[in-house]
Amino acid sequence: MNARLAVAALLVLLAGCGVPTDDGPRAVEAPYGPFPTPGTAVSDPAGRFTEALYFVRDDRLVLVRRRLDLLPTVNQHLQHLLAGPNEAERAEGLATALFGAVTVAGIRITGTRAEVHVPPVADGAGRSDEVFAFGQIVCTLTARPEVDAVSFLRDGEPLGVPRADGSLSEGPLTAADYAELSDSD
């Protein structure tokens, strides 16, 4: 009789282990995305929100997706770009063309356009990698859903900035203006 009780107790214990069953199907929440594509660096897998930043590697604009717990404002997003790649991103060969090439004094959203205010620079301070610097800003800001285009202003007037093809544009720019420099989607 004790053997039967021991077997019954063992069966009860085993039945309690394992995966619980549901009475019917249940919804499963998908993991947060978007997910990286080949050629896209992901530097921080934690966090609920994705922040897209464009850095430079081997004369190409490269999309980096950082995961954040809080959705950054447009100004915070730009500040993250201006801070440059983090240690893990630098270890992947990413750099920035912004240091010394472009200084940003502020940003304002007008409708779906970001207006980036650029202060005057000293004569002869122009650099050959300005196209990458402006491309980093334009591609990063237009990756946000509320920003369709980016304009650059100096002293309240439109600033001519280089596009990927070398031409200067005073009009609003989009990621398409830098597509030939980009490895990203």
mmCIF file of all heavy atoms in Angstrom, residues 32-57 61-69 72 77 80-81 84-86 88-89 92 94 139-140 142-145 182-185:
data_model
loop_
_atom_site.group_PDB
_atom_site.id
_atom_site.type_symbol
_atom_site.label_atom_id
_atom_site.label_comp_id
_atom_site.label_asym_id
_atom_site.label_seq_id
_atom_site.Cartn_x
_atom_site.Cartn_y
_atom_site.Cartn_z
ATOM 1 N N TYR A 32 10.362 43.640 -29.560
ATOM 2 C CA TYR A 32 10.534 44.964 -30.129
ATOM 3 C C TYR A 32 11.459 44.922 -31.332
ATOM 4 O O TYR A 32 12.429 44.195 -31.351
ATOM 5 C CB TYR A 32 11.097 45.936 -29.085
ATOM 6 C CG TYR A 32 10.145 46.171 -27.943
ATOM 7 C CD1 TYR A 32 10.373 45.630 -26.702
ATOM 8 C CD2 TYR A 32 8.998 46.923 -28.132
ATOM 9 C CE1 TYR A 32 9.489 45.838 -25.657
ATOM 10 C CE2 TYR A 32 8.110 47.127 -27.099
ATOM 11 C CZ TYR A 32 8.356 46.588 -25.865
ATOM 12 O OH TYR A 32 7.478 46.796 -24.846
ATOM 13 N N GLY A 33 11.161 45.688 -32.322
ATOM 14 C CA GLY A 33 11.980 45.786 -33.520
ATOM 15 C C GLY A 33 12.201 47.237 -33.828
ATOM 16 O O GLY A 33 11.923 48.070 -33.000
ATOM 17 N N PRO A 34 12.625 47.624 -34.963
ATOM 18 C CA PRO A 34 12.977 46.777 -36.092
ATOM 19 C C PRO A 34 14.277 46.039 -35.844
ATOM 20 O O PRO A 34 15.057 46.400 -34.990
ATOM 21 C CB PRO A 34 13.130 47.761 -37.246
ATOM 22 C CG PRO A 34 13.507 49.041 -36.591
ATOM 23 C CD PRO A 34 12.840 49.027 -35.243
ATOM 24 N N PHE A 35 14.464 44.993 -36.613
ATOM 25 C CA PHE A 35 15.638 44.169 -36.439
ATOM 26 C C PHE A 35 16.698 44.556 -37.451
ATOM 27 O O PHE A 35 16.392 45.007 -38.544
ATOM 28 C CB PHE A 35 15.257 42.697 -36.565
ATOM 29 C CG PHE A 35 14.247 42.321 -35.516
ATOM 30 C CD1 PHE A 35 12.914 42.194 -35.826
ATOM 31 C CD2 PHE A 35 14.647 42.148 -34.205
ATOM 32 C CE1 PHE A 35 11.988 41.890 -34.851
ATOM 33 C CE2 PHE A 35 13.727 41.841 -33.230
ATOM 34 C CZ PHE A 35 12.392 41.708 -33.544
ATOM 35 N N PRO A 36 17.957 44.381 -37.104
ATOM 36 C CA PRO A 36 19.031 44.800 -38.006
ATOM 37 C C PRO A 36 19.073 43.964 -39.280
ATOM 38 O O PRO A 36 18.706 42.802 -39.290
ATOM 39 C CB PRO A 36 20.300 44.591 -37.178
ATOM 40 C CG PRO A 36 19.923 43.633 -36.114
ATOM 41 C CD PRO A 36 18.448 43.806 -35.864
ATOM 42 N N THR A 37 19.486 44.633 -40.327
ATOM 43 C CA THR A 37 19.710 43.951 -41.587
ATOM 44 C C THR A 37 21.218 43.844 -41.784
ATOM 45 O O THR A 37 21.975 44.513 -41.098
ATOM 46 C CB THR A 37 19.095 44.744 -42.756
ATOM 47 O OG1 THR A 37 19.656 46.059 -42.745
ATOM 48 C CG2 THR A 37 17.582 44.839 -42.630
ATOM 49 N N PRO A 38 21.683 43.012 -42.704
ATOM 50 C CA PRO A 38 23.127 42.923 -42.913
ATOM 51 C C PRO A 38 23.720 44.313 -43.183
ATOM 52 O O PRO A 38 23.134 45.116 -43.901
ATOM 53 C CB PRO A 38 23.246 42.014 -44.141
ATOM 54 C CG PRO A 38 21.995 41.195 -44.113
ATOM 55 C CD PRO A 38 20.932 42.101 -43.546
ATOM 56 N N GLY A 39 24.852 44.597 -42.572
ATOM 57 C CA GLY A 39 25.504 45.894 -42.739
ATOM 58 C C GLY A 39 25.039 46.905 -41.716
ATOM 59 O O GLY A 39 25.466 48.034 -41.723
ATOM 60 N N THR A 40 24.116 46.504 -40.831
ATOM 61 C CA THR A 40 23.603 47.392 -39.805
ATOM 62 C C THR A 40 24.188 46.970 -38.468
ATOM 63 O O THR A 40 24.119 45.816 -38.101
ATOM 64 C CB THR A 40 22.065 47.303 -39.740
ATOM 65 O OG1 THR A 40 21.540 47.633 -41.009
ATOM 66 C CG2 THR A 40 21.501 48.243 -38.693
ATOM 67 N N ALA A 41 24.747 47.910 -37.756
ATOM 68 C CA ALA A 41 25.313 47.608 -36.446
ATOM 69 C C ALA A 41 24.274 47.852 -35.363
ATOM 70 O O ALA A 41 23.538 48.821 -35.420
ATOM 71 C CB ALA A 41 26.539 48.493 -36.187
ATOM 72 N N VAL A 42 24.195 46.963 -34.407
ATOM 73 C CA VAL A 42 23.343 47.151 -33.237
ATOM 74 C C VAL A 42 24.274 47.208 -32.047
ATOM 75 O O VAL A 42 24.990 46.261 -31.756
ATOM 76 C CB VAL A 42 22.328 45.998 -33.063
ATOM 77 C CG1 VAL A 42 21.548 46.175 -31.777
ATOM 78 C CG2 VAL A 42 21.391 45.937 -34.243
ATOM 79 N N SER A 43 24.248 48.340 -31.339
ATOM 80 C CA SER A 43 25.226 48.510 -30.287
ATOM 81 C C SER A 43 24.697 48.200 -28.898
ATOM 82 O O SER A 43 25.466 47.927 -28.005
ATOM 83 C CB SER A 43 25.780 49.929 -30.318
ATOM 84 O OG SER A 43 24.731 50.846 -30.089
ATOM 85 N N ASP A 44 23.385 48.253 -28.678
ATOM 86 C CA ASP A 44 22.843 48.035 -27.353
ATOM 87 C C ASP A 44 21.526 47.290 -27.477
ATOM 88 O O ASP A 44 20.518 47.871 -27.844
ATOM 89 C CB ASP A 44 22.643 49.381 -26.657
ATOM 90 C CG ASP A 44 22.205 49.230 -25.218
ATOM 91 O OD1 ASP A 44 22.153 48.088 -24.733
ATOM 92 O OD2 ASP A 44 21.920 50.252 -24.581
ATOM 93 N N PRO A 45 21.505 45.978 -27.184
ATOM 94 C CA PRO A 45 20.304 45.190 -27.397
ATOM 95 C C PRO A 45 19.201 45.463 -26.382
ATOM 96 O O PRO A 45 18.063 45.084 -26.593
ATOM 97 C CB PRO A 45 20.803 43.746 -27.283
ATOM 98 C CG PRO A 45 22.003 43.841 -26.409
ATOM 99 C CD PRO A 45 22.613 45.182 -26.699
ATOM 100 N N ALA A 46 19.491 46.118 -25.251
ATOM 101 C CA ALA A 46 18.477 46.376 -24.243
ATOM 102 C C ALA A 46 17.684 47.621 -24.601
ATOM 103 O O ALA A 46 18.098 48.428 -25.412
ATOM 104 C CB ALA A 46 19.150 46.555 -22.888
ATOM 105 N N GLY A 47 16.530 47.787 -23.994
ATOM 106 C CA GLY A 47 15.737 48.988 -24.193
ATOM 107 C C GLY A 47 14.510 48.740 -25.030
ATOM 108 O O GLY A 47 14.437 47.811 -25.823
ATOM 109 N N ARG A 48 13.523 49.594 -24.840
ATOM 110 C CA ARG A 48 12.228 49.439 -25.500
ATOM 111 C C ARG A 48 12.136 50.188 -26.817
ATOM 112 O O ARG A 48 11.396 49.810 -27.701
ATOM 113 C CB ARG A 48 11.153 49.920 -24.536
ATOM 114 C CG ARG A 48 9.782 49.758 -25.044
ATOM 115 C CD ARG A 48 8.762 50.121 -24.018
ATOM 116 N NE ARG A 48 7.457 50.011 -24.649
ATOM 117 C CZ ARG A 48 6.340 50.333 -24.096
ATOM 118 N NH1 ARG A 48 6.344 50.799 -22.875
ATOM 119 N NH2 ARG A 48 5.207 50.223 -24.726
ATOM 120 N N PHE A 49 12.867 51.288 -26.963
ATOM 121 C CA PHE A 49 12.787 52.125 -28.159
ATOM 122 C C PHE A 49 14.074 52.021 -28.973
ATOM 123 O O PHE A 49 15.147 51.838 -28.422
ATOM 124 C CB PHE A 49 12.540 53.589 -27.769
ATOM 125 C CG PHE A 49 11.226 53.782 -27.064
ATOM 126 C CD1 PHE A 49 11.167 53.846 -25.691
ATOM 127 C CD2 PHE A 49 10.055 53.877 -27.789
ATOM 128 C CE1 PHE A 49 9.967 54.010 -25.031
ATOM 129 C CE2 PHE A 49 8.845 54.040 -27.142
ATOM 130 C CZ PHE A 49 8.796 54.105 -25.760
ATOM 131 N N THR A 50 13.933 52.179 -30.277
ATOM 132 C CA THR A 50 15.078 52.135 -31.166
ATOM 133 C C THR A 50 15.424 53.551 -31.611
ATOM 134 O O THR A 50 14.551 54.291 -32.046
ATOM 135 C CB THR A 50 14.776 51.272 -32.400
ATOM 136 O OG1 THR A 50 14.444 49.958 -31.963
ATOM 137 C CG2 THR A 50 15.977 51.208 -33.327
ATOM 138 N N GLU A 51 16.690 53.887 -31.499
ATOM 139 C CA GLU A 51 17.192 55.174 -31.954
ATOM 140 C C GLU A 51 18.151 54.910 -33.108
ATOM 141 O O GLU A 51 19.128 54.185 -32.953
ATOM 142 C CB GLU A 51 17.912 55.884 -30.807
ATOM 143 C CG GLU A 51 18.556 57.186 -31.219
ATOM 144 C CD GLU A 51 19.331 57.820 -30.079
ATOM 145 O OE1 GLU A 51 20.230 57.148 -29.527
ATOM 146 O OE2 GLU A 51 19.044 58.976 -29.766
ATOM 147 N N ALA A 52 17.850 55.479 -34.265
ATOM 148 C CA ALA A 52 18.707 55.310 -35.444
ATOM 149 C C ALA A 52 19.712 56.451 -35.494
ATOM 150 O O ALA A 52 19.350 57.620 -35.402
ATOM 151 C CB ALA A 52 17.858 55.303 -36.710
ATOM 152 N N LEU A 53 20.982 56.084 -35.644
ATOM 153 C CA LEU A 53 22.070 57.050 -35.774
ATOM 154 C C LEU A 53 22.920 56.631 -36.967
ATOM 155 O O LEU A 53 23.090 55.443 -37.228
ATOM 156 C CB LEU A 53 22.946 57.063 -34.518
ATOM 157 C CG LEU A 53 22.242 57.425 -33.213
ATOM 158 C CD1 LEU A 53 23.090 57.022 -32.027
ATOM 159 C CD2 LEU A 53 21.946 58.908 -33.178
ATOM 160 N N TYR A 54 23.462 57.599 -37.668
ATOM 161 C CA TYR A 54 24.345 57.302 -38.793
ATOM 162 C C TYR A 54 25.754 57.743 -38.457
ATOM 163 O O TYR A 54 25.987 58.894 -38.095
ATOM 164 C CB TYR A 54 23.870 58.010 -40.070
ATOM 165 C CG TYR A 54 22.731 57.281 -40.723
ATOM 166 C CD1 TYR A 54 21.433 57.394 -40.241
ATOM 167 C CD2 TYR A 54 22.951 56.449 -41.816
ATOM 168 C CE1 TYR A 54 20.388 56.712 -40.832
ATOM 169 C CE2 TYR A 54 21.917 55.764 -42.414
ATOM 170 C CZ TYR A 54 20.632 55.900 -41.922
ATOM 171 O OH TYR A 54 19.599 55.218 -42.503
ATOM 172 N N PHE A 55 26.693 56.788 -38.565
ATOM 173 C CA PHE A 55 28.101 57.064 -38.380
ATOM 174 C C PHE A 55 28.840 56.705 -39.667
ATOM 175 O O PHE A 55 28.214 56.346 -40.666
ATOM 176 C CB PHE A 55 28.649 56.291 -37.170
ATOM 177 C CG PHE A 55 28.063 56.753 -35.864
ATOM 178 C CD1 PHE A 55 27.303 55.894 -35.082
ATOM 179 C CD2 PHE A 55 28.249 58.051 -35.418
ATOM 180 C CE1 PHE A 55 26.756 56.322 -33.882
ATOM 181 C CE2 PHE A 55 27.705 58.491 -34.225
ATOM 182 C CZ PHE A 55 26.956 57.624 -33.462
ATOM 183 N N VAL A 56 30.166 56.811 -39.653
ATOM 184 C CA VAL A 56 30.968 56.602 -40.854
ATOM 185 C C VAL A 56 31.915 55.429 -40.631
ATOM 186 O O VAL A 56 32.527 55.302 -39.573
ATOM 187 C CB VAL A 56 31.783 57.873 -41.196
ATOM 188 C CG1 VAL A 56 32.650 57.653 -42.424
ATOM 189 C CG2 VAL A 56 30.854 59.066 -41.396
ATOM 190 N N ARG A 57 32.013 54.576 -41.660
ATOM 191 C CA ARG A 57 33.011 53.507 -41.677
ATOM 192 C C ARG A 57 33.422 53.321 -43.130
ATOM 193 O O ARG A 57 32.577 53.128 -44.004
ATOM 194 C CB ARG A 57 32.458 52.200 -41.113
ATOM 195 C CG ARG A 57 33.465 51.070 -41.206
ATOM 196 C CD ARG A 57 33.019 49.744 -40.605
ATOM 197 N NE ARG A 57 31.606 49.515 -40.757
ATOM 198 C CZ ARG A 57 30.870 48.851 -39.871
ATOM 199 N NH1 ARG A 57 31.406 48.364 -38.794
ATOM 200 N NH2 ARG A 57 29.599 48.664 -40.084
ATOM 201 N N LEU A 61 28.260 55.869 -45.017
ATOM 202 C CA LEU A 61 27.364 56.142 -43.898
ATOM 203 C C LEU A 61 26.754 54.814 -43.461
ATOM 204 O O LEU A 61 26.244 54.067 -44.290
ATOM 205 C CB LEU A 61 26.253 57.111 -44.322
ATOM 206 C CG LEU A 61 26.703 58.536 -44.636
ATOM 207 C CD1 LEU A 61 25.546 59.336 -45.224
ATOM 208 C CD2 LEU A 61 27.242 59.223 -43.392
ATOM 209 N N VAL A 62 26.840 54.521 -42.182
ATOM 210 C CA VAL A 62 26.371 53.238 -41.652
ATOM 211 C C VAL A 62 25.311 53.493 -40.586
ATOM 212 O O VAL A 62 25.529 54.264 -39.647
ATOM 213 C CB VAL A 62 27.546 52.439 -41.037
ATOM 214 C CG1 VAL A 62 27.057 51.137 -40.424
ATOM 215 C CG2 VAL A 62 28.612 52.171 -42.089
ATOM 216 N N LEU A 63 24.177 52.831 -40.735
ATOM 217 C CA LEU A 63 23.092 52.929 -39.772
ATOM 218 C C LEU A 63 23.410 52.105 -38.536
ATOM 219 O O LEU A 63 23.763 50.932 -38.637
ATOM 220 C CB LEU A 63 21.787 52.427 -40.398
ATOM 221 C CG LEU A 63 20.588 52.261 -39.465
ATOM 222 C CD1 LEU A 63 20.182 53.592 -38.854
ATOM 223 C CD2 LEU A 63 19.432 51.633 -40.220
ATOM 224 N N VAL A 64 23.272 52.731 -37.376
ATOM 225 C CA VAL A 64 23.432 52.062 -36.087
ATOM 226 C C VAL A 64 22.116 52.224 -35.349
ATOM 227 O O VAL A 64 21.547 53.315 -35.304
ATOM 228 C CB VAL A 64 24.574 52.707 -35.266
ATOM 229 C CG1 VAL A 64 24.622 52.141 -33.864
ATOM 230 C CG2 VAL A 64 25.898 52.516 -35.972
ATOM 231 N N ARG A 65 21.640 51.134 -34.787
ATOM 232 C CA ARG A 65 20.405 51.192 -34.000
ATOM 233 C C ARG A 65 20.745 50.956 -32.544
ATOM 234 O O ARG A 65 21.297 49.918 -32.195
ATOM 235 C CB ARG A 65 19.416 50.153 -34.503
ATOM 236 C CG ARG A 65 18.884 50.513 -35.872
ATOM 237 C CD ARG A 65 17.754 49.589 -36.273
ATOM 238 N NE ARG A 65 17.139 50.084 -37.484
ATOM 239 C CZ ARG A 65 17.122 49.428 -38.633
ATOM 240 N NH1 ARG A 65 17.673 48.237 -38.711
ATOM 241 N NH2 ARG A 65 16.540 49.937 -39.684
ATOM 242 N N ARG A 66 20.437 51.946 -31.732
ATOM 243 C CA ARG A 66 20.640 51.823 -30.296
ATOM 244 C C ARG A 66 19.276 51.607 -29.636
ATOM 245 O O ARG A 66 18.286 52.206 -30.048
ATOM 246 C CB ARG A 66 21.264 53.087 -29.711
ATOM 247 C CG ARG A 66 22.695 53.305 -30.118
ATOM 248 C CD ARG A 66 23.236 54.549 -29.439
ATOM 249 N NE ARG A 66 24.602 54.828 -29.833
ATOM 250 C CZ ARG A 66 25.225 55.972 -29.576
ATOM 251 N NH1 ARG A 66 24.596 56.936 -28.920
ATOM 252 N NH2 ARG A 66 26.468 56.157 -29.969
ATOM 253 N N ARG A 67 19.257 50.787 -28.619
ATOM 254 C CA ARG A 67 18.028 50.531 -27.869
ATOM 255 C C ARG A 67 18.045 51.413 -26.618
ATOM 256 O O ARG A 67 19.037 51.460 -25.897
ATOM 257 C CB ARG A 67 17.927 49.065 -27.487
ATOM 258 C CG ARG A 67 17.958 48.104 -28.683
ATOM 259 C CD ARG A 67 16.787 48.230 -29.589
ATOM 260 N NE ARG A 67 15.627 47.723 -28.880
ATOM 261 C CZ ARG A 67 14.394 47.805 -29.310
ATOM 262 N NH1 ARG A 67 14.133 48.377 -30.444
ATOM 263 N NH2 ARG A 67 13.408 47.323 -28.606
ATOM 264 N N LEU A 68 16.934 52.114 -26.388
ATOM 265 C CA LEU A 68 16.823 53.023 -25.251
ATOM 266 C C LEU A 68 15.552 52.718 -24.468
ATOM 267 O O LEU A 68 14.556 52.256 -25.033
ATOM 268 C CB LEU A 68 16.773 54.475 -25.740
ATOM 269 C CG LEU A 68 17.930 54.949 -26.622
ATOM 270 C CD1 LEU A 68 17.646 56.327 -27.172
ATOM 271 C CD2 LEU A 68 19.217 54.946 -25.824
ATOM 272 N N ASP A 69 15.579 53.023 -23.191
ATOM 273 C CA ASP A 69 14.394 52.827 -22.366
ATOM 274 C C ASP A 69 13.360 53.922 -22.596
ATOM 275 O O ASP A 69 12.164 53.696 -22.444
ATOM 276 C CB ASP A 69 14.770 52.783 -20.888
ATOM 277 C CG ASP A 69 15.558 51.519 -20.545
ATOM 278 O OD1 ASP A 69 15.324 50.480 -21.197
ATOM 279 O OD2 ASP A 69 16.399 51.579 -19.641
ATOM 280 N N PRO A 72 13.852 59.323 -27.218
ATOM 281 C CA PRO A 72 14.502 60.635 -27.117
ATOM 282 C C PRO A 72 13.732 61.699 -27.896
ATOM 283 O O PRO A 72 13.097 61.404 -28.907
ATOM 284 C CB PRO A 72 15.884 60.403 -27.739
ATOM 285 C CG PRO A 72 15.659 59.295 -28.715
ATOM 286 C CD PRO A 72 14.597 58.417 -28.109
ATOM 287 N N HIS A 77 18.102 63.287 -29.525
ATOM 288 C CA HIS A 77 18.564 62.407 -30.606
ATOM 289 C C HIS A 77 19.774 63.041 -31.300
ATOM 290 O O HIS A 77 20.787 62.382 -31.538
ATOM 291 C CB HIS A 77 17.410 62.195 -31.580
ATOM 292 C CG HIS A 77 17.588 61.050 -32.508
ATOM 293 N ND1 HIS A 77 16.541 60.461 -33.146
ATOM 294 C CD2 HIS A 77 18.677 60.385 -32.951
ATOM 295 C CE1 HIS A 77 16.967 59.487 -33.911
ATOM 296 N NE2 HIS A 77 18.268 59.426 -33.817
ATOM 297 N N HIS A 80 22.827 62.849 -29.107
ATOM 298 C CA HIS A 80 23.439 61.507 -29.128
ATOM 299 C C HIS A 80 24.315 61.343 -30.374
ATOM 300 O O HIS A 80 25.400 60.760 -30.302
ATOM 301 C CB HIS A 80 22.364 60.425 -29.098
ATOM 302 C CG HIS A 80 21.590 60.394 -27.821
ATOM 303 N ND1 HIS A 80 20.400 59.725 -27.692
ATOM 304 C CD2 HIS A 80 21.831 60.960 -26.603
ATOM 305 C CE1 HIS A 80 19.942 59.871 -26.456
ATOM 306 N NE2 HIS A 80 20.791 60.615 -25.773
ATOM 307 N N LEU A 81 23.849 61.862 -31.507
ATOM 308 C CA LEU A 81 24.649 61.797 -32.734
ATOM 309 C C LEU A 81 25.926 62.623 -32.579
ATOM 310 O O LEU A 81 27.016 62.167 -32.935
ATOM 311 C CB LEU A 81 23.838 62.310 -33.931
ATOM 312 C CG LEU A 81 24.621 62.394 -35.238
ATOM 313 C CD1 LEU A 81 24.994 61.003 -35.738
ATOM 314 C CD2 LEU A 81 23.831 63.155 -36.284
ATOM 315 N N GLY A 84 28.958 61.182 -30.856
ATOM 316 C CA GLY A 84 29.770 60.219 -31.596
ATOM 317 C C GLY A 84 29.505 58.789 -31.180
ATOM 318 O O GLY A 84 28.695 58.516 -30.289
ATOM 319 N N PRO A 85 30.182 57.859 -31.828
ATOM 320 C CA PRO A 85 29.992 56.446 -31.512
ATOM 321 C C PRO A 85 30.482 56.114 -30.107
ATOM 322 O O PRO A 85 31.446 56.704 -29.627
ATOM 323 C CB PRO A 85 30.807 55.711 -32.574
ATOM 324 C CG PRO A 85 31.668 56.722 -33.217
ATOM 325 C CD PRO A 85 31.136 58.077 -32.901
ATOM 326 N N ASN A 86 29.800 55.148 -29.490
ATOM 327 C CA ASN A 86 30.238 54.708 -28.167
ATOM 328 C C ASN A 86 31.413 53.740 -28.324
ATOM 329 O O ASN A 86 31.839 53.446 -29.441
ATOM 330 C CB ASN A 86 29.079 54.101 -27.366
ATOM 331 C CG ASN A 86 28.489 52.872 -28.012
ATOM 332 O OD1 ASN A 86 29.172 52.106 -28.705
ATOM 333 N ND2 ASN A 86 27.208 52.654 -27.787
ATOM 334 N N ALA A 88 31.743 50.484 -27.940
ATOM 335 C CA ALA A 88 31.471 49.264 -28.710
ATOM 336 C C ALA A 88 31.388 49.576 -30.205
ATOM 337 O O ALA A 88 31.878 48.804 -31.036
ATOM 338 C CB ALA A 88 30.170 48.616 -28.232
ATOM 339 N N GLU A 89 30.794 50.705 -30.541
ATOM 340 C CA GLU A 89 30.680 51.092 -31.956
ATOM 341 C C GLU A 89 32.042 51.441 -32.543
ATOM 342 O O GLU A 89 32.343 51.090 -33.682
ATOM 343 C CB GLU A 89 29.696 52.268 -32.076
ATOM 344 C CG GLU A 89 28.272 51.875 -31.722
ATOM 345 C CD GLU A 89 27.388 53.046 -31.324
ATOM 346 O OE1 GLU A 89 27.889 54.180 -31.160
ATOM 347 O OE2 GLU A 89 26.178 52.814 -31.159
ATOM 348 N N GLU A 92 33.856 48.489 -33.564
ATOM 349 C CA GLU A 92 33.373 47.951 -34.842
ATOM 350 C C GLU A 92 33.865 48.785 -36.032
ATOM 351 O O GLU A 92 33.457 48.560 -37.164
ATOM 352 C CB GLU A 92 31.845 47.911 -34.854
ATOM 353 C CG GLU A 92 31.246 46.939 -33.867
ATOM 354 C CD GLU A 92 29.723 46.973 -33.873
ATOM 355 O OE1 GLU A 92 29.125 47.505 -34.838
ATOM 356 O OE2 GLU A 92 29.132 46.468 -32.912
ATOM 357 N N LEU A 94 33.471 52.155 -36.377
ATOM 358 C CA LEU A 94 32.636 53.319 -36.676
ATOM 359 C C LEU A 94 33.286 54.588 -36.143
ATOM 360 O O LEU A 94 33.919 54.582 -35.091
ATOM 361 C CB LEU A 94 31.241 53.135 -36.078
ATOM 362 C CG LEU A 94 30.452 51.979 -36.687
ATOM 363 C CD1 LEU A 94 29.220 51.678 -35.861
ATOM 364 C CD2 LEU A 94 30.073 52.302 -38.122
ATOM 365 N N CYS A 139 20.513 62.008 -42.442
ATOM 366 C CA CYS A 139 20.029 60.619 -42.381
ATOM 367 C C CYS A 139 19.529 60.251 -40.991
ATOM 368 O O CYS A 139 18.521 59.553 -40.848
ATOM 369 C CB CYS A 139 21.119 59.659 -42.845
ATOM 370 S SG CYS A 139 21.509 59.816 -44.602
ATOM 371 N N THR A 140 20.208 60.742 -39.948
ATOM 372 C CA THR A 140 19.775 60.452 -38.583
ATOM 373 C C THR A 140 18.425 61.098 -38.295
ATOM 374 O O THR A 140 17.514 60.443 -37.785
ATOM 375 C CB THR A 140 20.832 60.931 -37.566
ATOM 376 O OG1 THR A 140 22.015 60.148 -37.737
ATOM 377 C CG2 THR A 140 20.334 60.808 -36.133
ATOM 378 N N THR A 142 16.095 62.264 -40.393
ATOM 379 C CA THR A 142 14.978 61.789 -41.229
ATOM 380 C C THR A 142 14.625 60.340 -40.939
ATOM 381 O O THR A 142 13.619 59.837 -41.439
ATOM 382 C CB THR A 142 15.256 61.988 -42.729
ATOM 383 O OG1 THR A 142 16.460 61.301 -43.085
ATOM 384 C CG2 THR A 142 15.344 63.463 -43.080
ATOM 385 N N ALA A 143 15.403 59.650 -40.112
ATOM 386 C CA ALA A 143 15.026 58.306 -39.666
ATOM 387 C C ALA A 143 13.898 58.374 -38.639
ATOM 388 O O ALA A 143 13.248 57.372 -38.368
ATOM 389 C CB ALA A 143 16.238 57.581 -39.077
ATOM 390 N N ARG A 144 13.668 59.554 -38.081
ATOM 391 C CA ARG A 144 12.555 59.753 -37.135
ATOM 392 C C ARG A 144 11.250 59.853 -37.924
ATOM 393 O O ARG A 144 11.221 60.478 -38.995
ATOM 394 C CB ARG A 144 12.759 61.020 -36.311
ATOM 395 C CG ARG A 144 13.983 60.975 -35.408
ATOM 396 C CD ARG A 144 14.081 62.240 -34.591
ATOM 397 N NE ARG A 144 12.959 62.389 -33.687
ATOM 398 C CZ ARG A 144 12.933 61.942 -32.427
ATOM 399 N NH1 ARG A 144 13.986 61.317 -31.933
ATOM 400 N NH2 ARG A 144 11.870 62.119 -31.670
ATOM 401 N N PRO A 145 10.179 59.286 -37.423
ATOM 402 C CA PRO A 145 8.917 59.309 -38.179
ATOM 403 C C PRO A 145 8.329 60.700 -38.383
ATOM 404 O O PRO A 145 7.641 60.938 -39.374
ATOM 405 C CB PRO A 145 7.978 58.430 -37.343
ATOM 406 C CG PRO A 145 8.591 58.330 -35.999
ATOM 407 C CD PRO A 145 10.068 58.531 -36.179
ATOM 408 N N SER A 182 25.536 55.645 -48.550
ATOM 409 C CA SER A 182 24.978 54.846 -47.453
ATOM 410 C C SER A 182 24.958 53.370 -47.755
ATOM 411 O O SER A 182 24.635 52.945 -48.869
ATOM 412 C CB SER A 182 23.564 55.336 -47.153
ATOM 413 O OG SER A 182 23.007 54.587 -46.116
ATOM 414 N N ASP A 183 25.279 52.570 -46.736
ATOM 415 C CA ASP A 183 25.180 51.116 -46.830
ATOM 416 C C ASP A 183 23.862 50.639 -46.243
ATOM 417 O O ASP A 183 23.621 49.443 -46.176
ATOM 418 C CB ASP A 183 26.310 50.447 -46.035
ATOM 419 C CG ASP A 183 27.630 50.501 -46.789
ATOM 420 O OD1 ASP A 183 27.604 50.682 -48.016
ATOM 421 O OD2 ASP A 183 28.674 50.368 -46.131
ATOM 422 N N SER A 184 23.036 51.557 -45.766
ATOM 423 C CA SER A 184 21.832 51.186 -45.033
ATOM 424 C C SER A 184 20.605 51.197 -45.901
ATOM 425 O O SER A 184 20.596 51.701 -47.004
ATOM 426 C CB SER A 184 21.639 52.169 -43.873
ATOM 427 O OG SER A 184 22.803 52.169 -43.084
ATOM 428 N N ASP A 185 19.545 50.613 -45.291
ATOM 429 C CA ASP A 185 18.259 50.550 -45.992
ATOM 430 C C ASP A 185 17.521 51.845 -45.996
ATOM 431 O O ASP A 185 17.719 52.772 -45.385
ATOM 432 C CB ASP A 185 17.355 49.477 -45.373
ATOM 433 C CG ASP A 185 17.293 49.511 -43.865
ATOM 434 O OD1 ASP A 185 17.304 50.606 -43.287
ATOM 435 O OD2 ASP A 185 17.222 48.431 -43.266
#
